[in-house]
Amino acid sequence: MSDKDLKIVSVETTILDVPLIRPHKFATTTADAQPILLVAVTTAGGVTGYGEGVVPGGPWWGGESVETMKAIVDRYIAPYITGRGVDDITGIMVDLERIVANARFAKAAVDVALHDAWARSLGVPVHTLLGGAFRTGVDVRWALGAAPLEEIVEEVTHKMEQRLNFAFKLKMGALDPVVDTERVVKVVEAFDGKVGFSIDVNARWDRFTALRHVPQLVDGGVELIEQPTPADQLDVLAEINRRVAAPVMADESVQTPHDAYEVATRGAADVIALKTTKCGGLQRSKQVVAVVKAAGLRCHGATSIEGPIGTAASVHFACAEPGIDYGSELFGPQLFAVELLQRPLEYSDGRVHLPQGPGLGVELDMDVVKRLTRD
């Protein structure tokens, strides 16, 4: 293989709309389908690598959408990186910072596609480019919908009986806080401590509301509190963290290495939700994890409801990065009503397993991709 074989000859983007098995509720919106920007990077040697541009539920979370990502990649990123080598990931991603500010979800899609193409060109898995895998899978926490108590109990019981998941997350923030808190405590009490539950408020409560209800949730048995208050109010998050015994996890508050530094120095969280999407890809994720590890905090492998490409990338990252030491919620493909891969990712024994083979170790079913492509 010569350097010429590694030259990027095309960068193509496709928007997919993938239906979900049930509506997935966030604090401010509900998704019935997950839009995905599929980015394909092809080399002169005929190798194609894929990445996903995915945001959780639309632009409400971080200001990006599949439509904005497509415009950024097509107009500003693709022309700039065409002709460069897929092995020049560090240089490309550094240079992109001078061309496009922020847009971390779009950059993550390109970063992953470059890793996939380079690893496939070398005939090695992506985790090799990250230092090699030291484990073969990670634990997966399942996110529950906003269903009645009986349905949630049935869903949790089914997941446990199938040995798919042993820990669960409940979304909050959309209902009246009093009603929401009572609902969650009833779910937790229904399992009498036999199941681990976390909650995620998606940064929608103010200080007063959080100080009133987070202690009630912890007293009710919730084991992890995720981002109860706005992302930029780190002093408020730190106050909550000091007042409750359960660990507090920062998600919206941490998207860059500096964000991680600020959270750590203020004592605003015990755990960081690490999304390879919101951080801008695998390279930038390593920088965030390094800061978190140096501060003595833990990292949770979080999700933006990625499809199998984005999920596979996060699994490779988690299996090669010891700093992902607080489990994961890489359940995205389990929520999809349609299988995008020729061979699905493996979920069993409460874990998602590292796919084998070159690149990300997964192969898209292009017939399904074509059927789900947005006109």
Side-chain angles (χ1 to χ4, degrees):
M1 178 182 59
S2 66
D3 289 343
K4 291 183 179 179
D5 291 330
L6 296 177
K7 295 297 183 184
I8 298 169
V9 296
S10 71
V11 180
E12 299 180 350
T13 59
T14 306
I15 293 178
L16 311 180
D17 291 299
V18 186
L20 305 180
I21 59 173
R22 58 159 168 75
H24 188 71
K25 194 171 187 61
F26 300 92
T28 63
T29 188
T30 299
D32 297 303
Q34 176 64 309
I36 293 175
L37 179 70
L38 191 64
V39 176
V41 171
T42 301
T43 70
V47 173
T48 299
Y50 290 97
E52 285 181 359
V54 179
V55 292
W60 71 275
W61 199 97
E64 292 183 68
S65 68
V66 289
E67 296 83 8
T68 66
M69 287 185 277
K70 182 171 173 52
I72 289 290
V73 174
D74 287 349
R75 183 169 180 179
Y76 298 100
I77 295 179
Y80 183 77
I81 70 175
T82 299
R84 298 183 69 164
V86 290
D87 58 340
D88 187 20
I89 298 177
T90 299
I92 287 173
M93 299 311 294
V94 168
D95 289 346
L96 288 183
E97 292 300 310
R98 297 197 296 267
I99 298 170
V100 180
N102 302 318
R104 284 180 279 271
F105 288 87
K107 290 173 183 173
V110 174
D111 169 283
V112 169
L114 291 171
H115 277 87
D116 189 31
W118 186 21
R120 288 178 184 274
S121 297
L122 296 173
V124 301
V126 163
H127 65 72
T128 297
L129 304 183
L130 304 175
F134 74 101
R135 56 186 165 195
T136 60
V138 286
D139 293 344
V140 176
R141 184 182 293 268
W142 174 252
L144 295 156
L149 176 62
E150 296 77 13
E151 292 182 24
I152 289 180
V153 170
E154 182 179 350
E155 185 173 352
V156 170
T157 302
H158 174 74
K159 288 287 185 179
M160 294 185 68
E161 288 176 349
Q162 297 295 311
R163 300 190 59 80
L164 291 173
N165 308 94
F166 301 122
F168 300 86
K169 177 163 85 171
L170 290 153
K171 287 286 190 177
M172 301 185 70
L175 304 177
D176 176 271
V178 174
V179 175
D180 224 2
T181 300
E182 290 176 351
R183 173 182 70 90
V184 168
V185 170
K186 286 180 180 178
V187 171
V188 176
E189 288 177 344
F191 289 91
D192 194 26
K194 297 181 177 67
V195 179
F197 288 97
S198 67
I199 59 100
D200 180 8
V201 190
N202 284 132
R204 296 299 147 175
W205 284 350
D206 59 22
R207 175 181 176 273
F208 180 85
T209 303
L211 288 176
R212 177 182 178 186
H213 294 291
V214 169
Q216 295 175 354
L217 290 162
V218 174
D219 290 344
V222 173
E223 65 179 11
L224 177 69
I225 305 295
E226 181 176 351
Q227 197 73 48
T229 49
D232 57 351
Q233 296 181 11
L234 296 186
D235 290 338
V236 174
L237 197 62
E239 182 180 5
I240 296 167
N241 196 29
R242 289 192 299 269
R243 290 198 181 195
V244 298
V248 169
M249 182 161 72
D251 181 11
E252 283 87 343
S253 293
V254 178
Q255 301 184 47
T256 69
H258 182 71
D259 291 342
Y261 172 80
E262 287 290 328
V263 166
T265 55
R266 299 189 193 203
D270 305 298
V271 184
I272 303 300
L274 191 288
K275 296 174 180 171
T276 58
T277 47
K278 71 173 180 178
C279 293
L282 305 180
Q283 287 215 334
R284 292 283 282 180
S285 293
K286 287 179 72 71
Q287 297 172 18
V288 173
V289 173
V291 174
V292 174
K293 287 172 63 178
L297 306 184
R298 291 195 166 192
C299 269
H300 176 71
T303 183
S304 295
I305 320 297
E306 298 99 322
I309 297 293
T311 300
S314 293
V315 173
H316 277 268
F317 183 82
C319 288
E321 176 51 72
I324 304 297
D325 55 2
Y326 202 83
S328 85
E329 54 183 51
L330 299 175
F331 59 80
Q334 291 182 297
L335 195 59
F336 287 11
V338 179
E339 179 54 58
L340 292 171
L341 298 181
Q342 295 179 26
R343 181 180 179 182
L345 290 171
E346 182 185 352
Y347 289 88
S348 63
D349 296 320
R351 296 161 63 82
V352 57
H353 300 275
L354 179 66
Q356 304 297 310
L360 293 172
V362 296
E363 303 295 338
L364 286 165
D365 185 328
M366 300 312 294
D367 289 335
V368 175
V369 169
K370 184 176 180 179
R371 177 158 53 89
L372 297 178
T373 296
R374 184 183 297 179
D375 293 334

